[in-house]
Each structure stands twice: as structure tokens, then as C-alpha cells.
Amino acid sequence: MNGPQLCDIRPCLEGVIPAVMATCAADGTPNVAYISQVYYVDERHVALSFQFFNKTRQNILANPYATVLLLHPQTAAYYRLHLRYLRTETEGPLFEGMKAQLAGIASHTGMQDVFRLLGSDIYAVERIEALAGEPMPAPPARGGMLAAARRCSERLARGTSLDEALNAVLATLTDFMEVRHAIVLMLDGAGQRLYTVASCGYPTSGVGSEIGLGQGVIGMAARERTPVRIMHMTNAYLYSQAMRSSLEGSAPDAAAGPEIPYPGLKEPHSQLAVPVMSAGRLLGVLFVESPRDMVFGFEDEDMLVAMAGHLGAAIDLLQAGSEAPEAAPAAPPRPSASGEPLQVRRFASNGSIFIGGEYLIKGVAGAILWKLLKEHAQGRCDFSNRELRLDAAIGLPDVGDNLEARLVLLRRRLDEHGPHLRIEKTGRGRFRLALTRPVSLTEVA
Amino acid sequence: MSVPPIPAALVDMVGRGVSVHVASRDARMRPSVMRGLGLDLDLAAGRITVFVSREQAGQLVLDLSANGHVAVVVSEPLSHRAMQLKATRATLRNAVAADEAVLARYLASMERAVQSVGHAPRMARAMLAHRIEDLVAVSFTPDQAFDQTPGPKAGAALGGQP
């Protein structure tokens, strides 16, 4: 009879119930100890958390065979893994994924000052035994995930713009996966920061807010190009807190410019971030969170990874599509701008743009807006993606510039900021700047 | 000849309800392990007895019979306090009806212990389900005892010989 496969026992690998590990010293003395984490690597490997230089550690370095007893958290069925130690990783995607999971486990069990991941010990799974017993019935299998994947795929395939692609992903999360809080972030051209392009479930959208690579769950998922999932409240990855304290701790930094607040929950109990990739490049991060514990399991992670793959491909294809502008539409009547001129100021020191007294945007999106406004003052209102791409002054990187994402960001910031400046799509790769009030442009040195 | 005492800390913990796991190894130094389904301390004799299921722990029972090397970890689910005991001369016998009282007492303590960490008592009943005729009683006098509570003192010897 074939024994269970690792994929059959993934609920045992969620860190809900500690596992028990037996090893044997070179002199034949057995050792048995609790381990907080047995982490699913792939169908033939697990990683165990190496936290202390203890007897277990000494033993596996001398004799690589280990036997681990797992308990199913819902049914109380027992499984035994027969393992052979291969190697230890102390950085990289697997390590960071485990470290985040362990931080959640540690906080949940009051061990945050004790548990610290020193390494991810990778073991080959040589055999899995399902043990006799009287387990409780398994809860009904979670349905609908495949249908949700299909809906998401259909919506993405129908979409013709980045806006629609982002909406397709957020709608799938809310309509089919009961996700209440989600954020999509894109990587900026320099590849060091992520900026929010879409969100749902928050009092403010946070579009334009930024997170550094490696910062929090989102930044770590981006830096390591790996899913990061936490099932319990932990301070270890709470970047909103880090941001608050850094803002309180120093005078406003003129060079950095003003910040748009990060929209996320103050005390997330469950968090899951997956990288959005295409053709081997990181494009951004898809992130979901919840104020409750243990909301996102491995199935949610699988689903988000699948969605992120579709989204990444869609972003790349839409980007390529936007290269070929359609014929310019017939010149429309210029929208009439009337009333008091809006004061629009650009600060040369950091490229930030203010409308009236309020910060709007900086960076590439800011440079785009400034160009549009200056040309608008000369009488133009229709523009193409192509000309933006060719304009060196805007500072788009040569590769993977994600111009569409900058335009989505700019359009959404303008939408949120007031009714007087609008960017309207007029065709593939074309758009119009519409002003309902005149503007007065000032460059501030 | 005096009997080496069972560590007082262990007596305290067992009263409150502890998970117990038993390990041994075969002639090729491959480890075997299973959860104990019952636990009893004989303070007068300095002996600890753990019950395991032959059906669940076939290899472990073979290994214990063959070489007597045993490692046992007990852990209090809520506090994570844990202790490991080791011996080289474990003895085995089949469980008998007279052991039922010990097993029932242990189950009751584990129902309380799993509730303390948020599981229903039926979790403990499923974890510890057994038929008395399938159980083996593993008894030993610990040669060594170690603190195994996660943290800086884990691994420190507790009484016994180092």
C-alpha cells in the first residue's frame, strides 16, 4: 500500500501543534525533543527550525537520521516522517519564510523572546507513515478554490488595462475568498521600494504609499521572491509601527519628502504576501491580511501564488500592448477650465508635487504629471504612453518600467485628491489630461 | 541501596497534565518515536512507566526490547515546561486490566491540559485512544534528567548523573 504523500498532510505542517523529533547520538543514546516548526519545502523535503545549539543539533550533525511524529491539528491522526538531514540554510527565501512563520508561532505561544531562527535545516523525506488510531472525522474539504482561480483567470483574460487587471484580482479575493483587506504593490524602477497601486477594505486607499524591500511581510516577500505567511499577531513584522516610530523620532526629512500613509491594519493577526513575478522578474507584491488569527492556510497561499502568476503575466502583456498606440482620436473640444487657478508647486529638491497646500505625488509619477501640466499650458491635452517612455526627463528605467502602473498610481491619486485634475484613457496607449480649473505652475528650488 | 529519586519538578508537572513521548533507536542508530498514551510514576521504586501502543509504535517496541535505550520527554502544553529523561535499561511488559485506572487518570489530566491551550477534550480522547490489549508498559529508572524548556537553560542536567 502506498503511504500518504507530504501534500496529504500539509495541515500538520502549519505549526499549530508542535512536532516531536527523535535523533540518535553517535554513541547510541537516543534523544527526543519538541520542535516548533516542520515546514513544507516541496513534496520530498521538509525544513525544521534550528533555534538552539542543543543535543538534537549535535546528533543530526553526527548521524543524519531523524524520526518526527506529527499530529493532525483537526483529526488528531498521527503521522511519522523518516528524515535524513541534508543541509542548513541561514538566509534566502526558505529561511525568511520560516522565520516569519516562527515569529507568529512564537508570539502566539508567548515565546517571542525565546524563539529565534538560526537556520533552516533541510531534510529529505524518506518515508511517511500513517499510524493506526481513532482520529476524529476530518472537516469538510474547502471547496470553491478552483472555481475562484477560474473566475480570476477569466477576469484577467478579459481585461484590457492594468486598472481592470488589478480590479479582477481584488474582486476575486473579496467575492470568492472572503478576503476583506488586500493591497497590490508594484516595484519601483530602481527596484528598492514598492508602492501601493490598489487596495481594498481600508478607510483610505493608501495608493502611493511606499514600503522598502525587506521591510515587513510585504518587503520580505519582495526581497526574497517568496510567499511569506503569518498566522498570528506578531510585532516582528509590523512595519506600520516601525514607520510611526521613525516618523516620531526625527524631524521631517525634506529630502525624502512627505509620506502617504500605509493603509494596512494596525494589528494584523494573519498576513500573507506573495511576489508578483513575470519572466523571472519581480513586478510587485500581492498582500492580504486579517484582524483574526489563522485565517490564511496553505490553500490560500497556493491560490494567491496562482493569482499573482496570472497578474504578473497580464501586467507584462498589457505593458507590451500599450507600446502600439492606436490612431489619435479626433481632437475633442478642450474641457473648459474656469475659476480660481489651482496652485501647483513642484519642489526640485525631491520632485514632490503639491496641489494647493497638499502633497500629491513624487517620483516618476510626479515627473509625468509635471510634464503633462507644462505641455497642457502650451495647449496640448492628448498624450501617448510612447512619448512618456521616450522622454528622458521623466526618468523611467530602460527595463521593466511599468509605465502603466505609474499612470494608474497618478490617476488614482488625482481621483482621490479632488475633481479638478483628471487623467482619462482615450485608447490603447493614449490618454488625456482634463482640467476643470486653470492651474498655475511654480517650480520651487 | 537507595533509589535515585524522581525529580520533584517532574512530579509537579505530571500532576498538572503532561504530554509524554518515548524514543529509542535500532542497531543502525535510526531513531524511533511515539506518543505515550499513559504515564505513571512509582515514587517509592523510582520507576517511571509509559504506555505505548504496539500497533502505533511497532519499531519503538522492537528497539526497546532489543537494547533498552530509552529517551522520554514530558511537556506541559500551556507553559512549554519540558523535561527529558534517559535510561539504558528499559523493561517492557504487556498492559493488563489493572493498568486501566492509571490510563484513565492520565486521560483526565490530558483533557484538562489540551483545554488549557484551546483544544476540545475530545482532542485528548482521540490522541490517547487505545485498546488495553494493544498496550505495552515501558518502565525505567532514569539515569539522567535534563531541563528541556525552550530557552537558555535547555539541556541543563537536573540531578541524576550528568
Side-chain angles (χ1 to χ4, degrees):
Chain A
M1 195 185 86
N2 288 332
Q5 303 297 301
L6 214 47
C7 62
D8 300 325
I9 60 167
R10 281 182 74 184
C12 303
L13 311 179
E14 295 281 90
V16 178
I17 294 180
V20 175
M21 178 183 193
T23 56
C24 182
D27 70 357
T29 305
N31 194 80
V32 59
Y34 283 85
I35 42 173
S36 26
Q37 228 181 352
V38 180
Y39 196 84
Y40 178 87
V41 177
D42 60 37
E43 272 302 290
R44 293 174 186 282
H45 298 89
V46 291
L48 310 187
S49 57
F50 157 37
Q51 299 178 45
F52 308 103
F53 289 96
N54 54 18
K55 191 70 189 164
T56 296
R57 182 76 188 159
Q58 291 170 29
N59 285 359
I60 61 126
L61 294 178
N63 171 16
Y65 295 97
T67 305
V68 166
L69 184 71
L70 298 173
L71 184 66
H72 192 292
Q74 280 115 22
T75 69
Y78 290 108
Y79 299 92
R80 205 154 31 217
L81 305 182
H82 296 269
L83 306 178
R84 184 167 45 84
Y85 170 71
L86 297 176
R87 65 181 185 280
T88 298
E89 293 184 5
T90 55
E91 58 179 15
L94 176 71
F95 178 80
E96 295 298 343
M98 282 185 80
K99 193 172 153 189
Q101 189 195 54
L102 184 64
I105 294 169
S107 301
H108 181 60
T109 54
M111 288 283 167
Q112 58 269 38
D113 298 330
V114 178
F115 285 0
R116 190 166 68 89
L117 191 65
L118 298 179
S120 300
D121 287 343
I122 298 174
Y123 288 78
V125 179
E126 301 200 319
R127 191 159 56 94
I128 304 175
E129 284 178 87
L131 306 188
E134 295 175 25
M136 298 181 282
R142 185 168 165 185
M145 291 298 243
L146 192 55
R150 172 195 166 143
R151 298 290 173 230
C152 182
S153 175
E154 281 174 346
R155 286 177 180 181
L156 281 170
R158 270 201 305 269
T160 57
S161 69
L162 181 59
D163 261 321
E164 288 173 289
L166 295 169
N167 290 341
V169 167
L170 294 180
T172 305
L173 292 170
T174 55
D175 297 355
F176 295 104
M177 296 180 63
E178 296 177 11
V179 169
R180 299 280 166 264
H181 306 280
I183 306 177
V184 184
L185 304 97
M186 302 290 290
L187 188 67
D188 77 2
Q192 289 308 305
R193 299 188 73 74
L194 298 144
Y195 58 94
T196 303
V197 286
S199 71
C200 64
Y202 302 104
T204 59
S205 79
V207 163
S209 61
E210 296 188 353
I211 285 172
L213 237 59
Q215 191 184 4
V217 169
I218 293 170
M220 196 54 79
R223 194 185 81 189
E224 301 296 338
R225 276 104 167 126
T226 189
V228 176
R229 180 160 57 94
I230 299 184
M231 309 258 270
H232 301 282
M233 167 78 188
T234 170
N235 287 325
Y237 290 84
L238 208 55
Y239 35 79
S240 56
Q241 208 169 58
M243 284 173 69
R244 259 202 314 281
S245 56
S246 74
L247 286 176
E248 286 161 2
S250 61
D253 180 351
E259 297 285 346
I260 299 166
Y262 167 74
L265 297 174
K266 280 207 164 50
E267 291 192 345
H269 282 239
S270 295
Q271 304 179 75
L272 168 57
V274 305
V276 177
M277 312 266 302
S278 179
R281 281 184 306 119
L282 177 72
L283 301 181
V285 170
L286 176 56
F287 173 72
V288 295
E289 61 181 338
S290 167
R292 292 183 295 123
D293 277 337
M294 295 177 64
V295 170
F296 307 119
F298 62 89
E299 289 160 313
D300 298 275
E301 180 179 321
D302 292 352
M303 177 67 182
L304 250 69
V305 170
M307 290 172 73
H310 276 280
L311 178 62
I315 290 170
D316 257 3
L317 286 170
L318 292 166
Q319 189 80 36
S322 74
E323 282 297 325
E326 293 164 348
R334 280 191 66 174
S336 58
S338 59
E340 277 289 294
L342 277 174
Q343 298 297 324
V344 181
R345 290 178 301 155
R346 178 174 185 271
F347 289 83
S349 59
N350 56 23
S352 61
I353 292 182
F354 284 70
I355 297 184
E358 282 186 66
Y359 170 67
L360 181 78
I361 196 97
K362 64 180 179 183
V364 174
I368 291 171
L369 178 62
W370 196 246
K371 171 189 167 75
L372 301 182
L373 286 169
K374 283 205 303 194
E375 301 212 0
H376 193 277
Q378 310 292 315
R380 278 190 73 191
C381 57
D382 286 296
F383 301 89
S384 73
N385 289 10
R386 187 178 177 78
E387 69 181 288
L388 295 181
R389 208 182 298 285
L390 296 174
D391 187 338
I394 288 173
L396 279 168
D398 291 337
V399 189
D401 59 29
N402 270 317
L403 176 61
E404 282 279 347
R406 312 290 182 164
L407 289 170
V408 167
L409 165 62
L410 178 55
R411 193 160 60 242
R412 291 182 178 197
R413 282 294 288 167
L414 289 172
D415 285 349
E416 287 172 8
H417 216 265
H420 305 298
L421 277 70
R422 287 226 174 283
I423 287 177
E424 298 164 353
K425 218 169 154 65
T426 53
R428 179 177 291 183
R430 304 198 67 85
F431 60 92
R432 176 174 301 146
L433 178 64
L435 305 184
T436 55
R437 275 174 63 182
V439 296
S440 153
L441 304 182
T442 312
E443 290 251 31
V444 184
Chain B
M1 204 171 89
S2 71
V3 174
I6 289 177
L10 177 63
V11 180
D12 275 359
M13 283 170 68
V14 169
R16 288 193 297 270
V18 286
S19 282
V20 54
H21 287 83
V22 187
S24 186
R25 51 87 178 170
D26 67 10
R28 298 179 307 158
M29 308 295 180
R30 304 286 174 96
S32 48
V33 62
M34 190 55 213
R35 179 184 279 270
L37 305 180
L39 173 63
D40 191 30
L41 304 182
D42 182 340
L43 298 182
R47 301 275 291 172
I48 297 171
T49 298
V50 186
F51 295 84
V52 295
S53 147
R54 210 179 274 280
E55 203 181 358
Q56 292 174 334
Q59 186 63 46
L60 174 69
V61 171
L62 281 177
D63 294 346
L64 289 168
S65 317
N67 62 53
H69 277 280
V70 67
V72 166
V73 63
V74 296
S75 165
E76 203 174 5
L78 183 61
S79 70
H80 300 275
R81 283 183 65 190
M83 188 183 301
Q84 186 175 197
L85 306 154
K86 293 191 183 185
T88 54
R89 289 186 301 276
T91 59
L92 276 64
R93 66 169 172 82
N94 289 329
V96 293
D99 295 314
E100 294 275 21
V102 163
L103 291 159
R105 208 161 50 235
Y106 179 72
L107 172 60
S109 74
M110 280 299 288
E111 285 178 343
R112 288 192 301 274
V114 302
Q115 270 185 291
S116 73
V117 289
H119 293 287
R122 66 194 177 101
M123 185 82 177
R125 293 196 287 275
M127 280 161 49
L128 303 178
H130 61 267
R131 290 171 293 113
I132 190 81
E133 61 274 19
D134 177 50
L135 294 191
V136 177
V138 181
S139 298
F140 60 96
T141 297
D143 301 326
Q144 295 174 293
F146 305 94
D147 184 350
Q148 209 159 281
T149 307
K153 281 190 286 185
L158 288 171
Q161 296 124 39

PDB file of all heavy atoms in Angstrom, chain A residues 251-272:
ATOM      1  N   ALA A 251      12.893  64.793  12.857  1.00  0.00           N
ATOM      2  CA  ALA A 251      12.235  65.909  12.184  1.00  0.00           C
ATOM      3  C   ALA A 251      11.898  65.466  10.762  1.00  0.00           C
ATOM      4  O   ALA A 251      12.549  64.590  10.209  1.00  0.00           O
ATOM      5  CB  ALA A 251      13.164  67.101  12.154  1.00  0.00           C
ATOM      6  N   PRO A 252      10.852  66.031  10.181  1.00  0.00           N
ATOM      7  CA  PRO A 252      10.515  65.654   8.807  1.00  0.00           C
ATOM      8  C   PRO A 252      11.736  65.812   7.891  1.00  0.00           C
ATOM      9  O   PRO A 252      12.454  66.789   7.969  1.00  0.00           O
ATOM     10  CB  PRO A 252       9.413  66.652   8.456  1.00  0.00           C
ATOM     11  CG  PRO A 252       8.859  67.117   9.753  1.00  0.00           C
ATOM     12  CD  PRO A 252       9.969  67.031  10.742  1.00  0.00           C
ATOM     13  N   ASP A 253      11.938  64.800   7.095  1.00  0.00           N
ATOM     14  CA  ASP A 253      13.115  64.774   6.235  1.00  0.00           C
ATOM     15  C   ASP A 253      12.754  65.430   4.894  1.00  0.00           C
ATOM     16  O   ASP A 253      11.999  64.871   4.111  1.00  0.00           O
ATOM     17  CB  ASP A 253      13.526  63.313   6.050  1.00  0.00           C
ATOM     18  CG  ASP A 253      14.741  63.178   5.168  1.00  0.00           C
ATOM     19  OD1 ASP A 253      15.159  64.187   4.565  1.00  0.00           O
ATOM     20  OD2 ASP A 253      15.277  62.064   5.085  1.00  0.00           O
ATOM     21  N   ALA A 254      13.322  66.592   4.680  1.00  0.00           N
ATOM     22  CA  ALA A 254      12.964  67.352   3.487  1.00  0.00           C
ATOM     23  C   ALA A 254      13.311  66.583   2.211  1.00  0.00           C
ATOM     24  O   ALA A 254      12.551  66.582   1.250  1.00  0.00           O
ATOM     25  CB  ALA A 254      13.672  68.696   3.491  1.00  0.00           C
ATOM     26  N   ALA A 255      14.443  65.891   2.232  1.00  0.00           N
ATOM     27  CA  ALA A 255      14.887  65.205   1.018  1.00  0.00           C
ATOM     28  C   ALA A 255      13.959  64.028   0.698  1.00  0.00           C
ATOM     29  O   ALA A 255      13.674  63.740  -0.453  1.00  0.00           O
ATOM     30  CB  ALA A 255      16.309  64.709   1.185  1.00  0.00           C
ATOM     31  N   ALA A 256      13.490  63.341   1.727  1.00  0.00           N
ATOM     32  CA  ALA A 256      12.635  62.190   1.486  1.00  0.00           C
ATOM     33  C   ALA A 256      11.251  62.637   1.036  1.00  0.00           C
ATOM     34  O   ALA A 256      10.575  61.917   0.322  1.00  0.00           O
ATOM     35  CB  ALA A 256      12.520  61.349   2.744  1.00  0.00           C
ATOM     36  N   GLY A 257      10.842  63.797   1.465  1.00  0.00           N
ATOM     37  CA  GLY A 257       9.533  64.289   1.066  1.00  0.00           C
ATOM     38  C   GLY A 257       8.446  63.700   1.938  1.00  0.00           C
ATOM     39  O   GLY A 257       8.692  62.827   2.753  1.00  0.00           O
ATOM     40  N   PRO A 258       7.226  64.175   1.744  1.00  0.00           N
ATOM     41  CA  PRO A 258       6.118  63.708   2.576  1.00  0.00           C
ATOM     42  C   PRO A 258       5.779  62.260   2.252  1.00  0.00           C
ATOM     43  O   PRO A 258       6.095  61.759   1.176  1.00  0.00           O
ATOM     44  CB  PRO A 258       4.969  64.622   2.171  1.00  0.00           C
ATOM     45  CG  PRO A 258       5.520  65.579   1.180  1.00  0.00           C
ATOM     46  CD  PRO A 258       6.830  65.084   0.701  1.00  0.00           C
ATOM     47  N   GLU A 259       5.129  61.596   3.209  1.00  0.00           N
ATOM     48  CA  GLU A 259       4.756  60.200   3.023  1.00  0.00           C
ATOM     49  C   GLU A 259       3.242  60.095   2.926  1.00  0.00           C
ATOM     50  O   GLU A 259       2.518  60.758   3.656  1.00  0.00           O
ATOM     51  CB  GLU A 259       5.204  59.367   4.222  1.00  0.00           C
ATOM     52  CG  GLU A 259       6.707  59.312   4.440  1.00  0.00           C
ATOM     53  CD  GLU A 259       7.409  58.404   3.456  1.00  0.00           C
ATOM     54  OE1 GLU A 259       6.714  57.615   2.788  1.00  0.00           O
ATOM     55  OE2 GLU A 259       8.646  58.494   3.359  1.00  0.00           O
ATOM     56  N   ILE A 260       2.782  59.214   2.039  1.00  0.00           N
ATOM     57  CA  ILE A 260       1.374  58.835   2.045  1.00  0.00           C
ATOM     58  C   ILE A 260       1.259  57.674   3.030  1.00  0.00           C
ATOM     59  O   ILE A 260       2.045  56.735   2.958  1.00  0.00           O
ATOM     60  CB  ILE A 260       0.934  58.390   0.639  1.00  0.00           C
ATOM     61  CG1 ILE A 260       1.115  59.552  -0.348  1.00  0.00           C
ATOM     62  CG2 ILE A 260      -0.502  57.881   0.649  1.00  0.00           C
ATOM     63  CD1 ILE A 260       1.029  59.142  -1.795  1.00  0.00           C
ATOM     64  N   PRO A 261       0.322  57.727   3.974  1.00  0.00           N
ATOM     65  CA  PRO A 261       0.290  56.671   4.991  1.00  0.00           C
ATOM     66  C   PRO A 261      -0.007  55.295   4.403  1.00  0.00           C
ATOM     67  O   PRO A 261      -0.880  55.146   3.542  1.00  0.00           O
ATOM     68  CB  PRO A 261      -0.832  57.104   5.937  1.00  0.00           C
ATOM     69  CG  PRO A 261      -1.123  58.519   5.606  1.00  0.00           C
ATOM     70  CD  PRO A 261      -0.693  58.756   4.196  1.00  0.00           C
ATOM     71  N   TYR A 262       0.720  54.314   4.902  1.00  0.00           N
ATOM     72  CA  TYR A 262       0.470  52.914   4.558  1.00  0.00           C
ATOM     73  C   TYR A 262      -0.923  52.554   5.047  1.00  0.00           C
ATOM     74  O   TYR A 262      -1.288  52.851   6.176  1.00  0.00           O
ATOM     75  CB  TYR A 262       1.537  52.056   5.233  1.00  0.00           C
ATOM     76  CG  TYR A 262       1.250  50.581   5.232  1.00  0.00           C
ATOM     77  CD1 TYR A 262       1.397  49.842   4.063  1.00  0.00           C
ATOM     78  CD2 TYR A 262       0.841  49.931   6.387  1.00  0.00           C
ATOM     79  CE1 TYR A 262       1.131  48.481   4.063  1.00  0.00           C
ATOM     80  CE2 TYR A 262       0.581  48.569   6.387  1.00  0.00           C
ATOM     81  CZ  TYR A 262       0.726  47.854   5.230  1.00  0.00           C
ATOM     82  OH  TYR A 262       0.456  46.515   5.235  1.00  0.00           O
ATOM     83  N   PRO A 263      -1.746  51.905   4.209  1.00  0.00           N
ATOM     84  CA  PRO A 263      -3.160  51.720   4.578  1.00  0.00           C
ATOM     85  C   PRO A 263      -3.433  50.569   5.532  1.00  0.00           C
ATOM     86  O   PRO A 263      -4.540  50.475   6.041  1.00  0.00           O
ATOM     87  CB  PRO A 263      -3.820  51.432   3.223  1.00  0.00           C
ATOM     88  CG  PRO A 263      -2.754  50.800   2.405  1.00  0.00           C
ATOM     89  CD  PRO A 263      -1.457  51.432   2.843  1.00  0.00           C
ATOM     90  N   GLY A 264      -2.472  49.668   5.770  1.00  0.00           N
ATOM     91  CA  GLY A 264      -2.750  48.363   6.396  1.00  0.00           C
ATOM     92  C   GLY A 264      -3.279  48.422   7.816  1.00  0.00           C
ATOM     93  O   GLY A 264      -3.279  49.463   8.471  1.00  0.00           O
ATOM     94  N   LEU A 265      -3.719  47.251   8.270  1.00  0.00           N
ATOM     95  CA  LEU A 265      -4.258  47.117   9.624  1.00  0.00           C
ATOM     96  C   LEU A 265      -3.158  47.413  10.643  1.00  0.00           C
ATOM     97  O   LEU A 265      -2.002  47.077  10.434  1.00  0.00           O
ATOM     98  CB  LEU A 265      -4.765  45.685   9.846  1.00  0.00           C
ATOM     99  CG  LEU A 265      -5.924  45.219   8.963  1.00  0.00           C
ATOM    100  CD1 LEU A 265      -6.208  43.733   9.217  1.00  0.00           C
ATOM    101  CD2 LEU A 265      -7.166  46.039   9.234  1.00  0.00           C
ATOM    102  N   LYS A 266      -3.564  47.995  11.773  1.00  0.00           N
ATOM    103  CA  LYS A 266      -2.589  48.309  12.818  1.00  0.00           C
ATOM    104  C   LYS A 266      -2.121  47.047  13.528  1.00  0.00           C
ATOM    105  O   LYS A 266      -0.975  46.928  13.933  1.00  0.00           O
ATOM    106  CB  LYS A 266      -3.205  49.265  13.842  1.00  0.00           C
ATOM    107  CG  LYS A 266      -3.212  50.702  13.368  1.00  0.00           C
ATOM    108  CD  LYS A 266      -3.172  51.670  14.546  1.00  0.00           C
ATOM    109  CE  LYS A 266      -2.789  53.064  14.092  1.00  0.00           C
ATOM    110  NZ  LYS A 266      -3.596  53.523  12.946  1.00  0.00           N
ATOM    111  N   GLU A 267      -3.044  46.109  13.711  1.00  0.00           N
ATOM    112  CA  GLU A 267      -2.686  44.875  14.417  1.00  0.00           C
ATOM    113  C   GLU A 267      -3.161  43.663  13.623  1.00  0.00           C
ATOM    114  O   GLU A 267      -4.106  42.980  14.015  1.00  0.00           O
ATOM    115  CB  GLU A 267      -3.297  44.853  15.820  1.00  0.00           C
ATOM    116  CG  GLU A 267      -2.680  45.875  16.740  1.00  0.00           C
ATOM    117  CD  GLU A 267      -3.070  45.658  18.193  1.00  0.00           C
ATOM    118  OE1 GLU A 267      -4.027  44.900  18.445  1.00  0.00           O
ATOM    119  OE2 GLU A 267      -2.420  46.246  19.056  1.00  0.00           O
ATOM    120  N   PRO A 268      -2.502  43.370  12.512  1.00  0.00           N
ATOM    121  CA  PRO A 268      -2.909  42.203  11.738  1.00  0.00           C
ATOM    122  C   PRO A 268      -2.574  40.919  12.502  1.00  0.00           C
ATOM    123  O   PRO A 268      -1.502  40.815  13.086  1.00  0.00           O
ATOM    124  CB  PRO A 268      -2.074  42.311  10.466  1.00  0.00           C
ATOM    125  CG  PRO A 268      -0.875  43.106  10.867  1.00  0.00           C
ATOM    126  CD  PRO A 268      -1.339  44.045  11.940  1.00  0.00           C
ATOM    127  N   HIS A 269      -3.506  39.968  12.505  1.00  0.00           N
ATOM    128  CA  HIS A 269      -3.225  38.682  13.147  1.00  0.00           C
ATOM    129  C   HIS A 269      -2.836  37.626  12.116  1.00  0.00           C
ATOM    130  O   HIS A 269      -2.135  36.685  12.434  1.00  0.00           O
ATOM    131  CB  HIS A 269      -4.436  38.222  13.957  1.00  0.00           C
ATOM    132  CG  HIS A 269      -4.553  38.931  15.270  1.00  0.00           C
ATOM    133  ND1 HIS A 269      -4.550  38.282  16.465  1.00  0.00           N
ATOM    134  CD2 HIS A 269      -4.635  40.247  15.563  1.00  0.00           C
ATOM    135  CE1 HIS A 269      -4.636  39.163  17.455  1.00  0.00           C
ATOM    136  NE2 HIS A 269      -4.698  40.362  16.925  1.00  0.00           N
ATOM    137  N   SER A 270      -3.342  37.767  10.899  1.00  0.00           N
ATOM    138  CA  SER A 270      -2.954  36.863   9.822  1.00  0.00           C
ATOM    139  C   SER A 270      -2.484  37.713   8.652  1.00  0.00           C
ATOM    140  O   SER A 270      -3.135  38.706   8.315  1.00  0.00           O
ATOM    141  CB  SER A 270      -4.142  36.013   9.365  1.00  0.00           C
ATOM    142  OG  SER A 270      -4.564  35.153  10.394  1.00  0.00           O
ATOM    143  N   GLN A 271      -1.370  37.325   8.072  1.00  0.00           N
ATOM    144  CA  GLN A 271      -0.836  38.088   6.944  1.00  0.00           C
ATOM    145  C   GLN A 271      -0.264  37.122   5.909  1.00  0.00           C
ATOM    146  O   GLN A 271       0.347  36.115   6.275  1.00  0.00           O
ATOM    147  CB  GLN A 271       0.301  39.010   7.387  1.00  0.00           C
ATOM    148  CG  GLN A 271      -0.061  39.981   8.496  1.00  0.00           C
ATOM    149  CD  GLN A 271       1.150  40.827   8.884  1.00  0.00           C
ATOM    150  OE1 GLN A 271       1.551  41.727   8.184  1.00  0.00           O
ATOM    151  NE2 GLN A 271       1.741  40.490  10.002  1.00  0.00           N
ATOM    152  N   LEU A 272      -0.439  37.477   4.654  1.00  0.00           N
ATOM    153  CA  LEU A 272       0.111  36.651   3.572  1.00  0.00           C
ATOM    154  C   LEU A 272       0.508  37.568   2.424  1.00  0.00           C
ATOM    155  O   LEU A 272      -0.314  38.329   1.918  1.00  0.00           O
ATOM    156  CB  LEU A 272      -0.954  35.636   3.117  1.00  0.00           C
ATOM    157  CG  LEU A 272      -0.701  34.866   1.830  1.00  0.00           C
ATOM    158  CD1 LEU A 272       0.602  34.096   1.882  1.00  0.00           C
ATOM    159  CD2 LEU A 272      -1.859  33.900   1.572  1.00  0.00           C
TER     160      LEU A 272
END
